[in-house]
Amino acid sequence: MGKSRNPGRRQAAAEAVTESVDGGLAQLLPDRERPRARTLLIDGAPQSHVDPDDPRHLSFEYQRRFGHVVDLVAPPGKPLHAVHLGGGAFTLARYVAATRPRSTQQVVERDAALVRLVRRELPLDPKARIRVRSVDAREGLAKVPDGWAGLVVTDVFSGTRTPAHLTSTEFLDDVRRALAPGGTYAVNLADGPPLTHLRGQIATAAARFAELALIADPAVLRGKRFGNAVLVASDAPLPIAELTRRAASDAHPARVLHGRELTDLTGGARAVTDLAAVASPAPPASVFR
Protein backbone atom coordinates (compact mmCIF):
# COMPACT_ATOMS: atom_id res chain seq x y z
CA MET A 1 0.00 0.00 0.00
CA GLY A 2 1.36 3.41 -0.97
CA LYS A 3 1.65 6.27 1.51
CA SER A 4 1.07 9.95 0.87
CA ARG A 5 4.11 12.15 1.48
CA ASN A 6 1.83 15.10 2.20
CA PRO A 7 -0.21 14.65 5.41
CA GLY A 8 -2.49 17.54 4.52
CA ARG A 9 -3.26 16.04 1.14
CA ARG A 10 -3.91 12.66 2.75
CA GLN A 11 -6.33 14.29 5.21
CA ALA A 12 -8.19 16.00 2.35
CA ALA A 13 -8.36 12.74 0.43
CA ALA A 14 -10.05 11.07 3.43
CA GLU A 15 -13.08 13.33 3.10
CA ALA A 16 -16.16 12.31 1.14
CA VAL A 17 -16.88 14.17 -2.10
CA THR A 18 -20.48 14.70 -3.22
CA GLU A 19 -21.31 16.23 -6.58
CA SER A 20 -24.18 16.29 -9.07
CA VAL A 21 -23.37 14.53 -12.33
CA ASP A 22 -25.46 13.78 -15.40
CA GLY A 23 -26.68 10.47 -13.97
CA GLY A 24 -27.65 11.75 -10.52
CA LEU A 25 -25.87 12.49 -7.25
CA ALA A 26 -22.35 11.06 -7.20
CA GLN A 27 -20.48 10.32 -3.98
CA LEU A 28 -16.87 9.31 -3.57
CA LEU A 29 -16.63 7.77 -0.11
CA PRO A 30 -13.30 7.08 1.61
CA ASP A 31 -12.15 3.60 2.55
CA ARG A 32 -11.09 3.35 6.20
CA GLU A 33 -8.54 0.65 5.41
CA ARG A 34 -6.97 2.19 2.31
CA PRO A 35 -5.86 5.85 2.59
CA ARG A 36 -6.66 7.04 -0.96
CA ALA A 37 -9.25 4.46 -2.00
CA ARG A 38 -12.80 5.54 -2.78
CA THR A 39 -16.14 3.88 -3.41
CA LEU A 40 -18.26 5.54 -6.08
CA LEU A 41 -22.02 5.71 -5.49
CA ILE A 42 -24.64 7.19 -7.81
CA ASP A 43 -27.91 8.08 -6.07
CA GLY A 44 -26.88 5.78 -3.24
CA ALA A 45 -26.17 2.74 -5.43
CA PRO A 46 -22.57 1.46 -5.26
CA GLN A 47 -20.95 1.61 -8.72
CA SER A 48 -17.27 0.85 -8.25
CA HIS A 49 -14.32 0.95 -5.89
CA VAL A 50 -10.80 2.04 -6.78
CA ASP A 51 -7.50 2.33 -4.93
CA PRO A 52 -5.07 4.55 -6.88
CA ASP A 53 -2.19 3.21 -4.76
CA ASP A 54 -3.06 -0.40 -5.61
CA PRO A 55 -5.03 -0.64 -8.88
CA ARG A 56 -4.70 -4.43 -8.78
CA HIS A 57 -7.03 -4.48 -5.76
CA LEU A 58 -10.62 -5.27 -6.81
CA SER A 59 -13.03 -4.82 -3.92
CA PHE A 60 -16.39 -5.70 -5.49
CA GLU A 61 -17.17 -9.36 -6.20
CA TYR A 62 -18.21 -8.79 -9.81
CA GLN A 63 -15.08 -6.71 -10.45
CA ARG A 64 -12.89 -9.58 -9.23
CA ARG A 65 -14.71 -11.87 -11.68
CA PHE A 66 -13.93 -9.42 -14.46
CA GLY A 67 -10.36 -9.47 -13.17
CA HIS A 68 -10.22 -13.26 -13.60
CA VAL A 69 -11.29 -12.82 -17.22
CA VAL A 70 -8.64 -10.14 -17.81
CA ASP A 71 -5.99 -12.42 -16.31
CA LEU A 72 -6.93 -15.37 -18.52
CA VAL A 73 -7.72 -13.91 -21.95
CA ALA A 74 -4.03 -13.75 -22.88
CA PRO A 75 -0.67 -14.92 -21.49
CA PRO A 76 0.31 -13.10 -18.25
CA GLY A 77 1.57 -9.58 -18.83
CA LYS A 78 0.78 -9.52 -22.55
CA PRO A 79 -0.66 -6.12 -23.58
CA LEU A 80 -4.31 -6.00 -24.64
CA HIS A 81 -6.47 -3.82 -26.82
CA ALA A 82 -9.49 -3.40 -24.52
CA VAL A 83 -12.79 -1.56 -24.79
CA HIS A 84 -14.75 -0.75 -21.64
CA LEU A 85 -18.38 0.22 -22.15
CA GLY A 86 -19.22 2.00 -18.92
CA GLY A 87 -16.49 3.76 -17.00
CA GLY A 88 -17.49 4.37 -13.40
CA ALA A 89 -14.22 5.11 -11.62
CA PHE A 90 -12.25 3.29 -14.38
CA THR A 91 -11.50 0.42 -11.99
CA LEU A 92 -11.06 -2.32 -14.57
CA ALA A 93 -9.12 -0.11 -17.00
CA ARG A 94 -6.69 0.69 -14.17
CA TYR A 95 -6.42 -3.04 -13.40
CA VAL A 96 -5.60 -3.86 -17.02
CA ALA A 97 -3.00 -1.09 -17.13
CA ALA A 98 -1.38 -2.40 -13.93
CA THR A 99 -1.40 -6.09 -14.82
CA ARG A 100 -0.76 -5.73 -18.56
CA PRO A 101 1.54 -2.73 -19.11
CA ARG A 102 1.50 -1.14 -22.57
CA SER A 103 -2.11 -2.13 -23.11
CA THR A 104 -4.15 0.29 -25.21
CA GLN A 105 -7.65 0.93 -23.89
CA GLN A 106 -10.78 2.83 -24.76
CA VAL A 107 -13.34 3.68 -22.07
CA VAL A 108 -16.81 4.79 -23.15
CA GLU A 109 -18.65 6.61 -20.36
CA ARG A 110 -21.65 8.71 -21.34
CA ASP A 111 -21.69 10.78 -18.13
CA ALA A 112 -19.22 13.57 -18.94
CA ALA A 113 -19.64 15.21 -15.53
CA LEU A 114 -18.80 11.91 -13.83
CA VAL A 115 -15.70 11.56 -16.01
CA ARG A 116 -14.55 15.03 -14.94
CA LEU A 117 -15.17 14.21 -11.28
CA VAL A 118 -13.23 10.94 -11.40
CA ARG A 119 -10.36 12.45 -13.36
CA ARG A 120 -10.08 15.25 -10.79
CA GLU A 121 -10.38 13.18 -7.62
CA LEU A 122 -8.87 9.89 -8.80
CA PRO A 123 -6.54 10.77 -11.70
CA LEU A 124 -5.51 8.09 -14.15
CA ASP A 125 -1.84 7.21 -14.43
CA PRO A 126 -0.60 9.57 -17.16
CA LYS A 127 1.55 6.73 -18.53
CA ALA A 128 -1.46 4.45 -19.01
CA ARG A 129 -2.75 4.29 -22.57
CA ILE A 130 -6.40 4.93 -21.68
CA ARG A 131 -8.64 7.08 -23.86
CA VAL A 132 -12.03 8.13 -22.49
CA ARG A 133 -14.98 9.02 -24.72
CA SER A 134 -18.04 10.71 -23.20
CA VAL A 135 -20.69 9.30 -25.53
CA ASP A 136 -23.38 6.62 -25.42
CA ALA A 137 -21.94 3.11 -25.16
CA ARG A 138 -23.34 1.92 -28.46
CA GLU A 139 -22.22 5.08 -30.23
CA GLY A 140 -18.73 4.72 -28.81
CA LEU A 141 -18.57 1.04 -29.76
CA ALA A 142 -19.48 1.92 -33.34
CA LYS A 143 -16.28 4.00 -33.54
CA VAL A 144 -14.00 1.11 -32.58
CA PRO A 145 -12.20 -0.20 -35.70
CA ASP A 146 -13.16 -3.62 -37.01
CA GLY A 147 -11.27 -6.42 -35.27
CA TRP A 148 -9.36 -4.04 -32.99
CA ALA A 149 -10.23 -5.35 -29.52
CA GLY A 150 -8.99 -8.45 -27.78
CA LEU A 151 -11.46 -7.75 -24.98
CA VAL A 152 -14.77 -5.88 -24.79
CA VAL A 153 -16.36 -5.36 -21.37
CA THR A 154 -19.87 -4.02 -20.78
CA ASP A 155 -20.68 -2.65 -17.34
CA VAL A 156 -23.30 0.00 -18.06
CA PHE A 157 -26.06 1.07 -15.72
CA SER A 158 -28.43 3.99 -16.00
CA GLY A 159 -29.23 4.36 -12.35
CA THR A 160 -29.49 0.71 -11.34
CA ARG A 161 -30.60 -0.72 -14.70
CA THR A 162 -28.78 -1.70 -17.89
CA PRO A 163 -30.28 0.24 -20.82
CA ALA A 164 -32.36 -1.83 -23.23
CA HIS A 165 -30.30 -0.99 -26.31
CA LEU A 166 -27.28 -2.76 -24.77
CA THR A 167 -29.10 -6.09 -24.39
CA SER A 168 -29.85 -7.11 -27.98
CA THR A 169 -28.43 -9.29 -30.74
CA GLU A 170 -27.88 -6.17 -32.83
CA PHE A 171 -25.71 -4.73 -30.07
CA LEU A 172 -23.73 -7.98 -29.92
CA ASP A 173 -23.30 -7.88 -33.69
CA ASP A 174 -21.32 -4.67 -33.20
CA VAL A 175 -19.37 -6.20 -30.31
CA ARG A 176 -18.36 -9.06 -32.62
CA ARG A 177 -17.37 -6.59 -35.33
CA ALA A 178 -15.05 -4.77 -32.90
CA LEU A 179 -13.49 -7.98 -31.54
CA ALA A 180 -10.40 -9.55 -33.05
CA PRO A 181 -10.74 -13.23 -34.06
CA GLY A 182 -10.87 -15.26 -30.86
CA GLY A 183 -11.47 -12.13 -28.78
CA THR A 184 -13.48 -12.19 -25.57
CA TYR A 185 -16.64 -10.38 -24.49
CA ALA A 186 -17.63 -10.01 -20.83
CA VAL A 187 -20.73 -8.33 -19.41
CA ASN A 188 -21.98 -7.54 -15.93
CA LEU A 189 -25.63 -8.63 -15.61
CA ALA A 190 -27.88 -7.89 -12.64
CA ASP A 191 -31.06 -9.86 -11.98
CA GLY A 192 -33.12 -11.59 -9.34
CA PRO A 193 -35.85 -14.22 -9.22
CA PRO A 194 -37.20 -15.51 -11.59
CA LEU A 195 -34.02 -14.62 -13.58
CA THR A 196 -35.94 -13.70 -16.73
CA HIS A 197 -33.44 -11.03 -17.77
CA LEU A 198 -30.41 -13.23 -17.11
CA ARG A 199 -31.85 -16.14 -19.09
CA GLY A 200 -32.66 -13.84 -22.00
CA GLN A 201 -29.13 -12.43 -22.03
CA ILE A 202 -27.60 -15.90 -22.06
CA ALA A 203 -29.81 -16.83 -25.01
CA THR A 204 -28.86 -13.60 -26.78
CA ALA A 205 -25.14 -14.25 -26.36
CA ALA A 206 -25.58 -17.88 -27.44
CA ALA A 207 -27.10 -16.64 -30.68
CA ARG A 208 -23.89 -14.77 -31.50
CA PHE A 209 -21.00 -16.62 -29.81
CA ALA A 210 -19.89 -20.25 -29.89
CA GLU A 211 -18.58 -20.44 -26.32
CA LEU A 212 -20.19 -19.10 -23.13
CA ALA A 213 -19.55 -19.22 -19.40
CA LEU A 214 -21.43 -17.62 -16.51
CA ILE A 215 -19.82 -16.68 -13.18
CA ALA A 216 -22.22 -16.01 -10.31
CA ASP A 217 -23.01 -16.52 -6.66
CA PRO A 218 -24.84 -19.83 -6.17
CA ALA A 219 -27.71 -18.03 -4.38
CA VAL A 220 -28.22 -15.81 -7.43
CA LEU A 221 -28.20 -18.83 -9.76
CA ARG A 222 -30.82 -20.54 -7.59
CA GLY A 223 -33.04 -17.47 -7.78
CA LYS A 224 -32.75 -16.86 -4.03
CA ARG A 225 -31.62 -13.24 -4.23
CA PHE A 226 -30.90 -10.33 -6.53
CA GLY A 227 -27.26 -10.01 -7.57
CA ASN A 228 -24.62 -9.75 -10.28
CA ALA A 229 -23.46 -12.35 -12.76
CA VAL A 230 -20.61 -12.04 -15.25
CA LEU A 231 -21.28 -13.62 -18.64
CA VAL A 232 -18.20 -14.41 -20.75
CA ALA A 233 -18.44 -15.14 -24.48
CA SER A 234 -16.04 -15.94 -27.31
CA ASP A 235 -15.74 -17.95 -30.49
CA ALA A 236 -12.56 -19.50 -29.06
CA PRO A 237 -12.49 -22.05 -26.22
CA LEU A 238 -12.77 -20.43 -22.80
CA PRO A 239 -10.45 -21.25 -19.85
CA ILE A 240 -13.26 -22.95 -17.93
CA ALA A 241 -11.11 -24.96 -15.52
CA GLU A 242 -9.08 -21.96 -14.38
CA LEU A 243 -12.12 -19.67 -14.22
CA THR A 244 -13.83 -22.28 -12.06
CA ARG A 245 -10.84 -22.58 -9.74
CA ARG A 246 -10.48 -18.83 -9.28
CA ALA A 247 -14.21 -18.26 -8.77
CA ALA A 248 -14.40 -21.04 -6.19
CA SER A 249 -11.40 -19.73 -4.23
CA ASP A 250 -12.69 -16.15 -4.02
CA ALA A 251 -13.55 -14.62 -0.64
CA HIS A 252 -17.16 -14.86 -1.83
CA PRO A 253 -17.14 -18.13 -3.80
CA ALA A 254 -18.95 -18.27 -7.13
CA ARG A 255 -19.94 -21.02 -9.53
CA VAL A 256 -19.06 -21.20 -13.21
CA LEU A 257 -21.74 -22.61 -15.51
CA HIS A 258 -20.78 -23.85 -18.97
CA GLY A 259 -22.18 -26.19 -21.58
CA ARG A 260 -25.21 -28.24 -20.55
CA GLU A 261 -25.57 -26.54 -17.16
CA LEU A 262 -25.78 -23.15 -18.84
CA THR A 263 -28.23 -24.43 -21.45
CA ASP A 264 -30.42 -25.81 -18.66
CA LEU A 265 -30.37 -22.46 -16.84
CA THR A 266 -31.44 -20.68 -20.04
CA GLY A 267 -34.59 -22.79 -20.00
CA GLY A 268 -35.76 -22.11 -23.54
CA ALA A 269 -35.43 -18.30 -23.33
CA ARG A 270 -35.20 -16.56 -26.68
CA ALA A 271 -32.59 -14.15 -27.97
CA VAL A 272 -33.49 -10.47 -27.48
CA THR A 273 -33.67 -8.13 -30.48
CA ASP A 274 -33.74 -4.33 -30.55
CA LEU A 275 -37.51 -4.40 -31.11
CA ALA A 276 -38.14 -6.52 -28.01
CA ALA A 277 -35.37 -5.23 -25.73
CA VAL A 278 -36.15 -3.86 -22.27
CA ALA A 279 -33.91 -2.53 -19.53
CA SER A 280 -32.71 -4.90 -16.84
CA PRO A 281 -34.92 -5.06 -13.73
CA ALA A 282 -34.46 -2.58 -10.92
CA PRO A 283 -33.05 -4.16 -7.75
CA PRO A 284 -35.21 -4.25 -4.63
CA ALA A 285 -34.53 -1.41 -2.20
CA SER A 286 -33.15 -3.90 0.35
CA VAL A 287 -30.09 -4.58 -1.88
CA PHE A 288 -28.42 -1.30 -0.87
CA ARG A 289 -29.35 -1.30 2.81
Side-chain angles (χ1 to χ4, degrees):
M1 183 186 303
K3 294 183 179 179
S4 171
R5 296 181 181 178
N6 185 332
R9 181 178 178 183
R10 177 171 174 173
Q11 180 64 32
E15 298 174 0
V17 175
T18 301
E19 197 165 298
S20 292
V21 296
D22 300 340
L25 187 67
Q27 294 174 285
L28 287 171
L29 303 183
D31 184 328
R32 294 179 181 178
E33 298 179 356
R34 293 174 171 266
R36 292 207 302 142
R38 300 287 188 90
T39 298
L40 170 66
L41 285 74
I42 303 291
D43 288 339
Q47 302 290 322
S48 54
H49 176 280
V50 63
D51 184 353
D53 294 330
D54 183 10
R56 295 169 183 254
H57 175 74
L58 300 175
S59 179
F60 289 5
E61 295 170 33
Y62 86 88
Q63 289 179 337
R64 290 197 296 276
R65 292 164 193 164
F66 274 146
H68 300 329
V69 175
V70 169
D71 292 345
L72 297 172
V73 294
K78 181 179 180 180
L80 281 178
H81 283 180
V83 176
H84 305 267
L85 304 179
F90 312 141
T91 304
L92 197 64
R94 298 174 198 262
Y95 181 83
V96 172
T99 59
R100 297 182 176 278
R102 302 182 308 282
S103 290
T104 302
Q105 303 183 75
Q106 296 188 34
V107 177
V108 183
E109 171 55 62
R110 182 175 184 173
D111 194 328
L114 176 61
V115 170
R116 290 193 294 271
L117 171 64
V118 172
R119 281 188 177 278
R120 186 185 74 228
E121 299 294 330
L122 297 164
L124 288 166
D125 183 344
K127 294 180 291 185
R129 301 174 182 177
I130 301 173
R131 179 181 183 183
V132 183
R133 296 176 182 266
S134 294
V135 296
D136 175 78
R138 201 150 155 178
E139 180 183 345
L141 178 63
K143 295 179 180 179
V144 176
D146 293 2
W148 183 83
L151 175 67
V152 175
V153 175
T154 297
D155 186 17
V156 179
F157 288 85
S158 179
T160 57
R161 307 177 71 185
T162 300
H165 69 298
L166 304 182
T167 67
S168 67
T169 52
E170 290 90 342
F171 167 66
L172 289 187
D173 285 337
D174 210 24
V175 170
R176 284 182 58 91
R177 178 199 59 76
L179 280 172
T184 302
Y185 175 62
V187 55
N188 179 26
L189 304 170
D191 200 9
L195 300 180
T196 302
H197 175 71
L198 180 61
R199 291 186 171 104
Q201 289 305 286
I202 297 169
T204 304
R208 293 296 183 266
F209 290 95
E211 297 288 332
L212 303 179
L214 185 74
I215 314 169
D217 185 299
V220 173
L221 294 174
R222 292 195 300 268
K224 297 295 185 181
R225 70 172 180 86
F226 194 98
N228 297 90
V230 170
L231 181 63
V232 187
S234 180
D235 286 331
L238 294 170
I240 301 300
E242 185 62 16
L243 275 176
T244 300
R245 187 191 70 77
R246 293 185 181 215
S249 62
D250 190 82
H252 295 86
R255 285 188 63 198
V256 174
L257 299 188
H258 174 257
R260 180 61 182 270
E261 282 188 309
L262 195 53
T263 300
D264 289 346
L265 176 64
T266 307
R270 295 183 177 181
V272 176
T273 65
D274 275 344
L275 289 176
V278 296
S280 66
S286 59
V287 168
F288 304 123
R289 288 177 185 169

